[in-house]
Amino acid sequence: MGRQEGAEQGLLTAALTGDGGSGGSVTGLLVLSTMVAVCGSLEFGAAIGYSSPAESGIMDDLGLSLAEYSVFGSIMTVGAILGAIMSGKTADLVGRRGAMGISNILCLSGWIAIIFSEGAWVLDIGRLLVGCGVGLFSYVVPVYISEIAPKNLRGGFGTAHQFMLSFGSALIYFIGTVVNWRILALIGAGPCVLQLLGLFFIPESPRWLAKLGREREYEAVLRYLRGKNADISEEATEIKEYTLTLQRLSEGRILDLFQKTYTRSLLVGVGLMALQQFGGTNAIVFYASSIFESAGFPANIGTVTMAVVQVPMTIVGVLLMDKSGRRPLLLISAIGTCLGCFLAGLSFLLEDFHQWTQVAPTLAFVGIVVYNASFGLGLAGIPWLIMSEIFPMNMKGSAGSLVSVVNWFASWIVTYVFNFLMELSTAGTFFIFSAIAGLTILFVAKLVPETKGRTLEEIQAAMNPLTA
């Protein structure tokens, strides 16, 4: 490492070693900005939840085979991978608000294609476009919220992303039982319209403005977000010093992430996303109805209960986030998902051996509900929150794209192979998911840092110690 680069990195370390800005309070603009941002999370949830209640209607009306509908259901993850690839750079080039606007346009175009589709190919194009928009949302919403919220409130505000995701999915499940699939698609487009209107009334991220050198603008935005009477001098100075030093360093590329400096951040970010998906979440959500049917439990009761339970558990996670911290919630969540999958696997094993056949369906129901409730408590949203906290500004775009791609690619793998695994061994499939949840417990306990109550700049200093 050269002396000049070492000196610049040493300056960055020095800029980050203070105690950071003081805690902030809730202001009207902060609440409004978060509400507008999480309309993207609501859209995310609606897109994920749409394929299950729409399945029979689409297949009957358009005459699709099961294979054709499987393409429709899974192609969203392909679109999400494409959206994730461009998410970081898009958010860096046009800003967080601009990226959310592009996401809305993609999703709206996709929903319109679905609403007016008369055949499989238009349906698939629409689903692909919705996936692209969701891939962008999955990165930019938690990043925007983490950059506007004060450190003492960032956890609770950040997990509003997961609450609205869960709420959107549950809402689509419920509405899908009483309306046809075209009207359901129209409802799915609603959050995009709300966010597009709301973007005109919320500010850009102050940290993104500071990165561009727009000093007056970022200080003004910071003051609006914290309140007219708030003392923002310490936080503004910290952001300014951090940003000035980053400007001397080159804008990070994806290959730069593999430097020793960013090893821990990369390992934590990628590891959490991979473990979240390989634990089976999207496969269980996408194929919940068929899982309950295989277990001999009423599918309608099972899927509705899943949706009902996850929402209050996500609320509990939001309320505890800035009190208990990220790590305890992640650990409890991983333990719960491990137990839930084990119970589900045990129920199918009992059925295979024709033991306790009266109890096995209920045991499968309990296992899936425990899994879903535990997942909503922490694993659903906290990995995205931590991803938005652990990378420095000059690497956040590239890192966000990489981590989001890992998440969606892992999701595609799991959703693609799930039915094959279920055919080989239903019990074995859930025992595999349970084992991965066990690995998640160890991963969180050994590697994931606690970021509660620390500024983003303080987190960078701890996660990425820069040496001369």
Coordinates of all heavy atoms in Angstrom, one line a residue, residues 284-335:
I284 N -40.6 -21.9 0.9 CA -41.8 -22.1 1.8 C -42.9 -21.2 1.6 O -44.1 -21.6 1.5 CB -41.3 -22.1 3.3 CG1 -40.4 -23.3 3.6 CG2 -42.5 -22.1 4.3 CD1 -39.7 -23.2 5.0
V285 N -42.6 -19.9 1.3 CA -43.7 -18.9 1.0 C -44.3 -19.2 -0.3 O -45.5 -19.2 -0.5 CB -43.1 -17.5 1.1 CG1 -44.1 -16.5 0.5 CG2 -42.7 -17.1 2.5
F286 N -43.5 -19.4 -1.4 CA -44.0 -19.6 -2.7 C -44.9 -20.9 -2.8 O -45.9 -20.9 -3.5 CB -42.9 -19.8 -3.7 CG -42.2 -18.5 -4.1 CD1 -42.5 -17.3 -3.4 CD2 -41.3 -18.4 -5.1 CE1 -41.9 -16.1 -3.7 CE2 -40.7 -17.2 -5.5 CZ -41.0 -16.0 -4.7
Y287 N -44.5 -21.9 -2.1 CA -45.2 -23.2 -2.2 C -45.9 -23.6 -0.9 O -46.1 -24.8 -0.7 CB -44.1 -24.3 -2.6 CG -43.4 -24.0 -3.9 CD1 -42.1 -23.6 -3.9 CD2 -44.1 -24.1 -5.1 CE1 -41.4 -23.4 -5.1 CE2 -43.5 -23.8 -6.3 CZ -42.1 -23.5 -6.3 OH -41.5 -23.2 -7.5
A288 N -46.3 -22.7 -0.2 CA -47.0 -22.9 1.1 C -48.2 -23.8 1.0 O -48.4 -24.8 1.7 CB -47.3 -21.6 1.8
S289 N -49.0 -23.5 0.0 CA -50.2 -24.3 -0.2 C -49.9 -25.8 -0.5 O -50.6 -26.6 0.1 CB -51.0 -23.7 -1.4 OG -51.5 -22.4 -1.1
S290 N -49.0 -26.0 -1.4 CA -48.7 -27.4 -1.7 C -48.0 -28.1 -0.5 O -48.2 -29.3 -0.3 CB -47.8 -27.5 -2.9 OG -46.5 -26.9 -2.7
I291 N -47.3 -27.4 0.3 CA -46.7 -28.0 1.5 C -47.8 -28.5 2.5 O -47.7 -29.6 3.0 CB -45.7 -27.0 2.2 CG1 -44.5 -26.7 1.4 CG2 -45.3 -27.6 3.6 CD1 -43.6 -25.6 1.9
F292 N -48.7 -27.6 2.7 CA -49.8 -28.0 3.6 C -50.6 -29.1 3.1 O -51.1 -30.0 3.8 CB -50.7 -26.8 3.9 CG -50.1 -25.8 4.9 CD1 -49.9 -24.5 4.5 CD2 -49.7 -26.1 6.2 CE1 -49.3 -23.5 5.3 CE2 -49.1 -25.2 7.0 CZ -48.9 -23.9 6.6
E293 N -50.9 -29.1 1.8 CA -51.6 -30.2 1.1 C -50.9 -31.5 1.3 O -51.5 -32.6 1.5 CB -51.9 -29.9 -0.3 CG -52.9 -28.8 -0.5 CD -53.1 -28.3 -2.0 OE1 -52.3 -28.9 -2.8 OE2 -53.9 -27.4 -2.3
S294 N -49.5 -31.5 1.1 CA -48.7 -32.7 1.2 C -48.8 -33.2 2.6 O -48.7 -34.4 2.9 CB -47.3 -32.4 0.8 OG -47.2 -32.0 -0.5
A295 N -48.9 -32.3 3.6 CA -49.0 -32.7 5.0 C -50.4 -33.2 5.4 O -50.5 -33.7 6.6 CB -48.5 -31.6 5.9
G296 N -51.3 -33.0 4.6 CA -52.7 -33.3 4.9 C -53.4 -32.3 5.8 O -54.4 -32.6 6.4
F297 N -52.9 -31.1 5.7 CA -53.5 -30.0 6.5 C -54.2 -29.0 5.5 O -53.7 -28.8 4.4 CB -52.5 -29.2 7.3 CG -53.0 -28.3 8.4 CD1 -53.3 -28.8 9.7 CD2 -53.3 -27.0 8.1 CE1 -53.8 -28.0 10.6 CE2 -53.8 -26.2 9.1 CZ -54.1 -26.7 10.4
P298 N -55.4 -28.5 5.9 CA -56.1 -27.5 5.0 C -55.2 -26.4 4.6 O -54.7 -25.6 5.4 CB -57.3 -27.1 5.8 CG -57.5 -28.1 6.8 CD -56.2 -28.7 7.1
A299 N -55.0 -26.2 3.2 CA -54.1 -25.2 2.7 C -54.6 -23.8 3.0 O -53.7 -22.9 3.4 CB -53.9 -25.4 1.2
N300 N -55.9 -23.5 2.9 CA -56.4 -22.2 3.1 C -56.1 -21.7 4.6 O -55.6 -20.6 4.8 CB -57.9 -22.1 2.9 CG -58.2 -22.1 1.4 OD1 -57.3 -21.9 0.6 ND2 -59.4 -22.5 1.0
I301 N -56.4 -22.6 5.5 CA -56.1 -22.3 6.9 C -54.6 -22.1 7.2 O -54.2 -21.1 7.9 CB -56.7 -23.4 7.9 CG1 -58.2 -23.5 7.7 CG2 -56.3 -23.1 9.3 CD1 -58.8 -24.7 8.5
G302 N -53.8 -22.9 6.6 CA -52.4 -22.8 6.8 C -51.8 -21.6 6.3 O -51.0 -20.9 7.0
T303 N -52.1 -21.2 5.0 CA -51.5 -20.0 4.4 C -52.0 -18.8 5.1 O -51.2 -17.8 5.3 CB -51.8 -20.0 2.9 OG1 -53.2 -20.1 2.7 CG2 -51.1 -21.1 2.2
V304 N -53.3 -18.7 5.4 CA -53.8 -17.5 6.1 C -53.1 -17.3 7.4 O -52.7 -16.2 7.8 CB -55.3 -17.5 6.2 CG1 -55.8 -16.4 7.1 CG2 -55.9 -17.4 4.8
T305 N -53.0 -18.4 8.2 CA -52.4 -18.4 9.5 C -50.9 -17.9 9.4 O -50.4 -17.1 10.2 CB -52.4 -19.7 10.2 OG1 -53.8 -20.2 10.3 CG2 -51.9 -19.6 11.6
M306 N -50.2 -18.4 8.4 CA -48.8 -18.0 8.2 C -48.8 -16.4 8.0 O -47.9 -15.8 8.7 CB -48.3 -18.6 6.9 CG -47.7 -20.0 7.0 SD -47.2 -20.6 5.4 CE -45.9 -19.4 5.0
A307 N -49.7 -15.9 7.2 CA -49.7 -14.5 7.0 C -50.0 -13.7 8.2 O -49.4 -12.6 8.5 CB -50.6 -14.1 5.8
V308 N -51.0 -14.2 8.9 CA -51.5 -13.5 10.1 C -50.4 -13.5 11.2 O -50.2 -12.4 11.9 CB -52.8 -14.2 10.7 CG1 -53.1 -13.6 12.1 CG2 -53.9 -14.0 9.7
V309 N -49.7 -14.6 11.4 CA -48.7 -14.7 12.5 C -47.5 -13.8 12.2 O -46.9 -13.2 13.1 CB -48.3 -16.1 12.7 CG1 -47.1 -16.2 13.6 CG2 -49.5 -16.9 13.3
Q310 N -47.0 -13.8 10.9 CA -45.8 -13.1 10.6 C -45.9 -11.6 10.9 O -44.9 -11.0 11.3 CB -45.4 -13.3 9.2 CG -43.9 -12.8 8.9 CD -43.5 -13.2 7.5 OE1 -44.2 -13.5 6.6 NE2 -42.2 -13.1 7.3
V311 N -47.0 -11.0 10.6 CA -47.1 -9.5 10.8 C -46.9 -9.1 12.2 O -46.1 -8.2 12.5 CB -48.5 -9.0 10.2 CG1 -48.7 -7.5 10.6 CG2 -48.6 -9.2 8.7
P312 N -47.6 -9.6 13.2 CA -47.4 -9.2 14.6 C -45.9 -9.5 15.1 O -45.4 -8.7 15.9 CB -48.4 -9.9 15.4 CG -48.9 -11.0 14.6 CD -48.8 -10.6 13.2
M313 N -45.4 -10.6 14.6 CA -44.0 -10.9 15.0 C -43.0 -9.9 14.4 O -42.0 -9.6 15.1 CB -43.6 -12.4 14.5 CG -44.3 -13.5 15.3 SD -44.0 -13.4 17.1 CE -42.3 -13.9 17.1
T314 N -43.3 -9.5 13.2 CA -42.5 -8.4 12.6 C -42.6 -7.1 13.4 O -41.6 -6.4 13.6 CB -42.8 -8.2 11.2 OG1 -42.8 -9.4 10.5 CG2 -41.9 -7.2 10.5
I315 N -43.8 -6.8 13.9 CA -44.0 -5.6 14.8 C -43.2 -5.8 16.0 O -42.5 -4.8 16.5 CB -45.5 -5.5 15.1 CG1 -46.3 -5.1 13.8 CG2 -45.6 -4.3 16.1 CD1 -47.8 -5.1 14.0
V316 N -43.1 -7.0 16.6 CA -42.3 -7.2 17.8 C -40.9 -6.9 17.5 O -40.2 -6.3 18.3 CB -42.5 -8.6 18.4 CG1 -41.5 -8.9 19.5 CG2 -43.9 -8.8 18.9
G317 N -40.4 -7.4 16.4 CA -39.0 -7.1 16.0 C -38.7 -5.7 15.8 O -37.7 -5.2 16.2
V318 N -39.6 -4.9 15.2 CA -39.5 -3.5 15.1 C -39.3 -2.8 16.5 O -38.5 -1.9 16.7 CB -40.7 -2.9 14.3 CG1 -40.6 -1.3 14.3 CG2 -40.6 -3.4 12.9
L319 N -40.2 -3.2 17.4 CA -40.2 -2.6 18.7 C -39.0 -2.9 19.5 O -38.5 -2.1 20.3 CB -41.5 -3.0 19.5 CG -42.8 -2.6 18.9 CD1 -44.0 -3.2 19.7 CD2 -42.9 -1.1 18.9
L320 N -38.4 -4.1 19.3 CA -37.3 -4.5 20.1 C -35.9 -4.2 19.5 O -34.9 -4.2 20.1 CB -37.3 -6.0 20.3 CG -38.4 -6.6 21.2 CD1 -38.4 -8.1 21.2 CD2 -38.4 -6.0 22.6
M321 N -36.0 -3.8 18.2 CA -34.7 -3.6 17.4 C -33.7 -2.7 18.1 O -32.5 -3.0 18.2 CB -35.0 -3.1 16.0 CG -33.8 -2.9 15.1 SD -33.1 -4.5 14.8 CE -34.4 -5.3 13.9
D322 N -34.1 -1.5 18.5 CA -33.2 -0.6 19.1 C -33.1 -0.7 20.6 O -32.5 0.1 21.3 CB -33.6 0.9 18.7 CG -33.3 1.2 17.3 OD1 -32.1 0.9 16.9 OD2 -34.1 1.6 16.6
K323 N -33.7 -1.7 21.2 CA -33.6 -2.0 22.6 C -32.8 -3.2 22.9 O -31.8 -3.2 23.6 CB -35.0 -2.2 23.3 CG -35.8 -0.9 23.2 CD -37.2 -1.1 23.9 CE -38.0 0.2 23.9 NZ -39.3 0.0 24.5
S324 N -33.1 -4.3 22.2 CA -32.4 -5.6 22.4 C -31.2 -5.7 21.5 O -30.2 -6.4 21.8 CB -33.3 -6.8 22.2 OG -33.7 -6.8 20.8
G325 N -31.2 -5.0 20.4 CA -30.1 -5.1 19.4 C -30.4 -6.0 18.3 O -31.3 -6.8 18.3
R326 N -29.5 -6.0 17.3 CA -29.7 -6.9 16.1 C -29.3 -8.3 16.4 O -30.0 -9.3 16.0 CB -28.8 -6.4 14.9 CG -29.2 -5.2 14.2 CD -29.4 -3.9 15.0 NE -29.2 -2.7 14.2 CZ -29.6 -1.6 14.6 NH1 -30.3 -1.4 15.8 NH2 -29.4 -0.5 13.9
R327 N -28.2 -8.6 17.0 CA -27.7 -9.9 17.2 C -28.6 -10.8 18.1 O -28.9 -11.9 17.6 CB -26.3 -9.9 17.9 CG -25.2 -9.7 17.0 CD -23.9 -9.4 17.7 NE -23.6 -10.3 18.8 CZ -23.0 -11.5 18.7 NH1 -22.5 -11.9 17.5 NH2 -22.8 -12.2 19.7
P328 N -29.2 -10.3 19.2 CA -30.1 -11.2 19.9 C -31.3 -11.6 19.1 O -31.8 -12.7 19.2 CB -30.5 -10.3 21.2 CG -29.3 -9.4 21.3 CD -28.9 -9.1 20.0
L329 N -31.9 -10.6 18.4 CA -33.1 -10.9 17.5 C -32.7 -11.9 16.4 O -33.5 -12.8 16.1 CB -33.6 -9.7 16.9 CG -34.4 -8.8 17.9 CD1 -34.9 -7.5 17.1 CD2 -35.6 -9.5 18.5
L330 N -31.5 -11.8 15.8 CA -31.1 -12.7 14.8 C -30.9 -14.1 15.4 O -31.3 -15.1 14.8 CB -29.8 -12.3 14.2 CG -29.8 -11.3 13.0 CD1 -28.4 -10.9 12.6 CD2 -30.6 -11.9 11.8
L331 N -30.3 -14.2 16.6 CA -30.1 -15.5 17.2 C -31.5 -16.2 17.5 O -31.7 -17.4 17.2 CB -29.3 -15.4 18.5 CG -27.8 -15.1 18.2 CD1 -27.1 -14.7 19.5 CD2 -27.1 -16.3 17.6
I332 N -32.4 -15.4 18.1 CA -33.7 -16.0 18.4 C -34.4 -16.4 17.2 O -35.1 -17.5 17.1 CB -34.5 -15.0 19.2 CG1 -33.9 -14.7 20.6 CG2 -36.0 -15.5 19.4 CD1 -34.5 -13.6 21.4
S333 N -34.3 -15.6 16.1 CA -35.0 -15.9 14.9 C -34.4 -17.2 14.3 O -35.2 -18.0 13.8 CB -34.8 -14.7 13.9 OG -35.4 -15.0 12.7
A334 N -33.1 -17.3 14.3 CA -32.5 -18.5 13.7 C -32.8 -19.8 14.5 O -33.1 -20.8 13.9 CB -30.9 -18.3 13.6
I335 N -32.9 -19.6 15.8 CA -33.3 -20.8 16.6 C -34.7 -21.2 16.3 O -35.0 -22.4 16.2 CB -33.1 -20.4 18.1 CG1 -31.6 -20.3 18.5 CG2 -33.8 -21.5 19.0 CD1 -31.4 -19.7 19.9

